[in-house]
PDB file of all heavy atoms in Angstrom:
ATOM      1  N   ASP A  35     -35.740   5.292 -21.967  1.00 97.00           N
ATOM      2  CA  ASP A  35     -35.694   3.828 -21.964  1.00 97.00           C
ATOM      3  C   ASP A  35     -34.991   3.406 -20.679  1.00 97.00           C
ATOM      4  O   ASP A  35     -33.756   3.400 -20.601  1.00 97.00           O
ATOM      5  CB  ASP A  35     -34.939   3.330 -23.199  1.00 97.00           C
ATOM      6  CG  ASP A  35     -35.007   1.823 -23.365  1.00 97.00           C
ATOM      7  OD1 ASP A  35     -35.116   1.119 -22.339  1.00 97.00           O
ATOM      8  OD2 ASP A  35     -34.924   1.350 -24.511  1.00 97.00           O
ATOM      9  N   ARG A  36     -35.798   3.073 -19.660  1.00 97.00           N
ATOM     10  CA  ARG A  36     -35.232   2.776 -18.355  1.00 97.00           C
ATOM     11  C   ARG A  36     -34.318   1.555 -18.400  1.00 97.00           C
ATOM     12  O   ARG A  36     -33.256   1.535 -17.759  1.00 97.00           O
ATOM     13  CB  ARG A  36     -36.353   2.543 -17.346  1.00 97.00           C
ATOM     14  CG  ARG A  36     -35.874   2.343 -15.911  1.00 97.00           C
ATOM     15  CD  ARG A  36     -37.011   1.896 -15.011  1.00 97.00           C
ATOM     16  NE  ARG A  36     -36.589   1.698 -13.634  1.00 97.00           N
ATOM     17  CZ  ARG A  36     -35.873   0.676 -13.198  1.00 97.00           C
ATOM     18  NH1 ARG A  36     -35.494  -0.278 -14.057  1.00 97.00           N
ATOM     19  NH2 ARG A  36     -35.530   0.572 -11.917  1.00 97.00           N
ATOM     20  N   ALA A  37     -34.711   0.517 -19.138  1.00 97.00           N
ATOM     21  CA  ALA A  37     -33.889  -0.692 -19.218  1.00 97.00           C
ATOM     22  C   ALA A  37     -32.536  -0.379 -19.870  1.00 97.00           C
ATOM     23  O   ALA A  37     -31.492  -0.878 -19.440  1.00 97.00           O
ATOM     24  CB  ALA A  37     -34.629  -1.778 -19.979  1.00 97.00           C
ATOM     25  N   ALA A  38     -32.569   0.450 -20.926  1.00 98.00           N
ATOM     26  CA  ALA A  38     -31.319   0.828 -21.581  1.00 98.00           C
ATOM     27  C   ALA A  38     -30.440   1.639 -20.648  1.00 98.00           C
ATOM     28  O   ALA A  38     -29.204   1.485 -20.633  1.00 98.00           O
ATOM     29  CB  ALA A  38     -31.622   1.614 -22.849  1.00 98.00           C
ATOM     30  N   LEU A  39     -31.057   2.521 -19.844  1.00 98.00           N
ATOM     31  CA  LEU A  39     -30.288   3.306 -18.882  1.00 98.00           C
ATOM     32  C   LEU A  39     -29.631   2.400 -17.849  1.00 98.00           C
ATOM     33  O   LEU A  39     -28.461   2.594 -17.494  1.00 98.00           O
ATOM     34  CB  LEU A  39     -31.197   4.324 -18.202  1.00 98.00           C
ATOM     35  CG  LEU A  39     -30.553   5.198 -17.127  1.00 98.00           C
ATOM     36  CD1 LEU A  39     -29.442   6.059 -17.718  1.00 98.00           C
ATOM     37  CD2 LEU A  39     -31.597   6.079 -16.446  1.00 98.00           C
ATOM     38  N   SER A  40     -30.361   1.391 -17.386  1.00 98.00           N
ATOM     39  CA  SER A  40     -29.804   0.465 -16.408  1.00 98.00           C
ATOM     40  C   SER A  40     -28.630  -0.313 -16.994  1.00 98.00           C
ATOM     41  O   SER A  40     -27.586  -0.482 -16.350  1.00 98.00           O
ATOM     42  CB  SER A  40     -30.890  -0.499 -15.923  1.00 98.00           C
ATOM     43  OG  SER A  40     -30.382  -1.400 -14.960  1.00 98.00           O
ATOM     44  N   ARG A  41     -28.775  -0.765 -18.230  1.00 98.00           N
ATOM     45  CA  ARG A  41     -27.662  -1.488 -18.875  1.00 98.00           C
ATOM     46  C   ARG A  41     -26.470  -0.570 -19.089  1.00 98.00           C
ATOM     47  O   ARG A  41     -25.303  -0.986 -18.938  1.00 98.00           O
ATOM     48  CB  ARG A  41     -28.130  -2.081 -20.205  1.00 98.00           C
ATOM     49  CG  ARG A  41     -29.171  -3.188 -20.067  1.00 98.00           C
ATOM     50  CD  ARG A  41     -29.347  -3.938 -21.381  1.00 98.00           C
ATOM     51  NE  ARG A  41     -29.814  -3.069 -22.459  1.00 98.00           N
ATOM     52  CZ  ARG A  41     -31.090  -2.841 -22.751  1.00 98.00           C
ATOM     53  NH1 ARG A  41     -32.048  -3.401 -22.021  1.00 98.00           N
ATOM     54  NH2 ARG A  41     -31.431  -2.064 -23.779  1.00 98.00           N
ATOM     55  N   ALA A  42     -26.735   0.678 -19.439  1.00 98.00           N
ATOM     56  CA  ALA A  42     -25.642   1.639 -19.642  1.00 98.00           C
ATOM     57  C   ALA A  42     -24.887   1.889 -18.340  1.00 98.00           C
ATOM     58  O   ALA A  42     -23.648   1.980 -18.328  1.00 98.00           O
ATOM     59  CB  ALA A  42     -26.201   2.944 -20.195  1.00 98.00           C
ATOM     60  N   LEU A  43     -25.609   1.991 -17.230  1.00 98.00           N
ATOM     61  CA  LEU A  43     -24.958   2.162 -15.935  1.00 98.00           C
ATOM     62  C   LEU A  43     -24.055   0.974 -15.615  1.00 98.00           C
ATOM     63  O   LEU A  43     -22.925   1.145 -15.131  1.00 98.00           O
ATOM     64  CB  LEU A  43     -26.010   2.339 -14.843  1.00 98.00           C
ATOM     65  CG  LEU A  43     -26.719   3.700 -14.793  1.00 98.00           C
ATOM     66  CD1 LEU A  43     -27.968   3.615 -13.924  1.00 98.00           C
ATOM     67  CD2 LEU A  43     -25.781   4.780 -14.263  1.00 98.00           C
ATOM     68  N   ASP A  44     -24.542  -0.227 -15.887  1.00 98.00           N
ATOM     69  CA  ASP A  44     -23.719  -1.413 -15.637  1.00 98.00           C
ATOM     70  C   ASP A  44     -22.452  -1.399 -16.496  1.00 98.00           C
ATOM     71  O   ASP A  44     -21.376  -1.814 -16.030  1.00 98.00           O
ATOM     72  CB  ASP A  44     -24.530  -2.680 -15.918  1.00 98.00           C
ATOM     73  CG  ASP A  44     -25.566  -2.962 -14.840  1.00 98.00           C
ATOM     74  OD1 ASP A  44     -25.492  -2.340 -13.769  1.00 98.00           O
ATOM     75  OD2 ASP A  44     -26.460  -3.798 -15.082  1.00 98.00           O
ATOM     76  N   ARG A  45     -22.574  -0.929 -17.721  1.00 98.00           N
ATOM     77  CA  ARG A  45     -21.395  -0.876 -18.592  1.00 98.00           C
ATOM     78  C   ARG A  45     -20.376   0.146 -18.083  1.00 98.00           C
ATOM     79  O   ARG A  45     -19.158  -0.055 -18.201  1.00 98.00           O
ATOM     80  CB  ARG A  45     -21.813  -0.559 -20.027  1.00 98.00           C
ATOM     81  CG  ARG A  45     -22.604  -1.680 -20.684  1.00 98.00           C
ATOM     82  CD  ARG A  45     -23.017  -1.338 -22.102  1.00 98.00           C
ATOM     83  NE  ARG A  45     -21.883  -1.216 -23.014  1.00 98.00           N
ATOM     84  CZ  ARG A  45     -22.004  -1.017 -24.327  1.00 98.00           C
ATOM     85  NH1 ARG A  45     -23.220  -0.922 -24.866  1.00 98.00           N
ATOM     86  NH2 ARG A  45     -20.937  -0.908 -25.083  1.00 98.00           N
ATOM     87  N   VAL A  46     -20.857   1.255 -17.513  1.00 98.00           N
ATOM     88  CA  VAL A  46     -19.946   2.236 -16.924  1.00 98.00           C
ATOM     89  C   VAL A  46     -19.200   1.612 -15.744  1.00 98.00           C
ATOM     90  O   VAL A  46     -17.980   1.774 -15.597  1.00 98.00           O
ATOM     91  CB  VAL A  46     -20.720   3.490 -16.473  1.00 98.00           C
ATOM     92  CG1 VAL A  46     -19.796   4.427 -15.692  1.00 98.00           C
ATOM     93  CG2 VAL A  46     -21.305   4.224 -17.673  1.00 98.00           C
TER      94      VAL A  46
END
Side-chain angles (χ1 to χ4, degrees):
D35 188 331
R36 185 189 180 286
L39 178 62
S40 181
R41 293 193 299 270
L43 285 165
D44 286 347
R45 292 179 66 175
V46 172

